[in-house]
Amino acid sequence: AIQMTQSPSSLSASVGDRVTITCRASQGIRTDLGWYQQKPGKAPKFLIYGASSLHSGVPSRFSGSGSGTDFTLTISSLQPEDFATYYCLQDYSYPRTFGQGTKVEI
Amino acid sequence: DVQLVESGGGLVQPGGSLRLSCAASEFTFSSYWMTWFRQAPGKGLEWVANIKGDGSKKNLVDSVKGRFTISRDNAKNSLYLQMDSLRVEDTAVYFCARDANYYDSRDYYYDAFDMWGQGTMVTVSS
């Protein structure tokens, strides 16, 4: 199985900050990567597919980049509703695998 | 609204069985792969299994192979997860999700989970 390693596991930030989360795959996965946001007690929310394509309705302050093994999720100006845990997910091969998550907190 | 609603969770002893259901509405259920995920208390997300729209293809994570069975009934717009020989480590919230294809500018498609249920808790404990 492909291992996805996210960093950092948690970070503290303030409203208006630029936040970057990284995700590294144990082997090349082209751009077959998505990002998901999860708030406590809720189901995940789909943000980005294909490493960099924003899902409809997702604010433009979110962006993704990368290919092969290294990927990033950037929030350009953190808003109060963005405090959550973020997960990368590879859809290159089975089993699908997630990063361990990055908790973004105040 | 498009929605998914899971049911069937509960408390079961190790070695026991449970059947989870996921009821879908407001989309053409048979056109989509469907997926089960789980999340152990305080832990991250784990992909568990998926099934093609017509039920002809299935994939499962190794840790549940031989114990869990994924199935669907398109006439009832329902997805199922039959869980047998349950272990303490299967304790988790189980989510069903719609697996949709999203295309980029090169017409390359990606699997993305664009609709999720609220989850159902499964607790395996003696």
Side-chain angles (χ1 to χ4, degrees):
Chain A
I2 296 174
Q3 294 184 17
M4 306 301 294
T5 304
Q6 262 182 259
S7 61
S9 56
S10 66
L11 65 90
S12 295
S14 300
V15 172
D17 284 354
R18 181 182 181 89
V19 168
T20 298
I21 298 167
T22 65
C23 184
R24 175 164 289 177
S26 60
Q27 67 182 74
I29 59 170
R30 300 181 301 199
T31 53
D32 295 10
L33 184 109
W35 289 96
Y36 294 79
Q37 176 195 68
Q38 187 180 32
K39 296 182 178 179
K42 300 294 186 181
K45 176 185 174 184
F46 168 42
L47 298 177
I48 287 173
Y49 64 96
S52 61
S53 297
L54 218 59
H55 178 44
S56 174
V58 174
S60 59
R61 62 182 180 272
F62 290 91
S63 65
S65 65
S67 67
T69 59
D70 294 314
F71 302 87
T72 60
L73 172 70
T74 299
I75 309 172
S76 61
S77 178
L78 200 64
Q79 297 302 300
E81 60 268 30
D82 300 336
F83 291 94
T85 300
Y86 294 85
Y87 294 91
C88 61
L89 170 65
Q90 65 82 15
D91 60 289
Y92 178 80
S93 68
Y94 289 110
R96 306 304 194 213
T97 44
F98 287 92
Q100 77 273 23
T102 296
K103 186 175 183 179
V104 177
E105 51 195 350
I106 300 173
Chain B
D1 281 351
V2 173
Q3 66 174 353
L4 299 169
V5 179
E6 300 97 337
S7 60
L11 174 63
V12 62
Q13 291 188 339
S17 297
L18 274 179
R19 188 196 196 204
L20 305 184
S21 299
C22 171
S25 58
E26 302 300 329
F27 67 96
T28 307
F29 182 70
S30 60
S31 296
Y32 291 87
W33 285 76
M34 295 295 295
T35 298
W36 286 101
F37 295 92
R38 66 184 179 183
Q39 186 169 37
K43 302 297 184 182
L45 294 161
E46 181 182 27
W47 178 92
V48 175
N50 71 353
I51 184 169
K52 193 176 178 181
D54 62 3
S56 63
K57 294 184 179 180
K58 306 173 186 181
N59 298 281
L60 296 98
V61 69
D62 282 351
S63 60
V64 308
K65 284 179 180 176
R67 301 188 300 122
F68 290 11
T69 304
I70 188 171
S71 63
R72 64 193 297 159
D73 184 338
N74 288 341
K76 295 183 178 179
N77 288 341
S78 292
L79 173 72
Y80 305 104
L81 187 67
Q82 177 66 41
M83 303 186 296
D84 299 319
S85 302
L86 281 161
R87 304 169 180 168
V88 171
E89 55 265 34
D90 295 319
T91 295
V93 175
Y94 285 72
F95 297 99
C96 63
R98 186 175 79 171
D99 185 347
N101 289 339
Y102 280 74
Y103 291 81
D104 67 8
S105 58
R106 302 165 297 167
D107 230 15
Y108 188 78
Y109 76 88
Y110 305 91
D111 289 343
F113 305 97
D114 63 352
M115 181 58 53
W116 296 67
Q118 83 288 353
T120 187
M121 184 70 204
V122 172
T123 302
V124 185
S125 174
S126 55

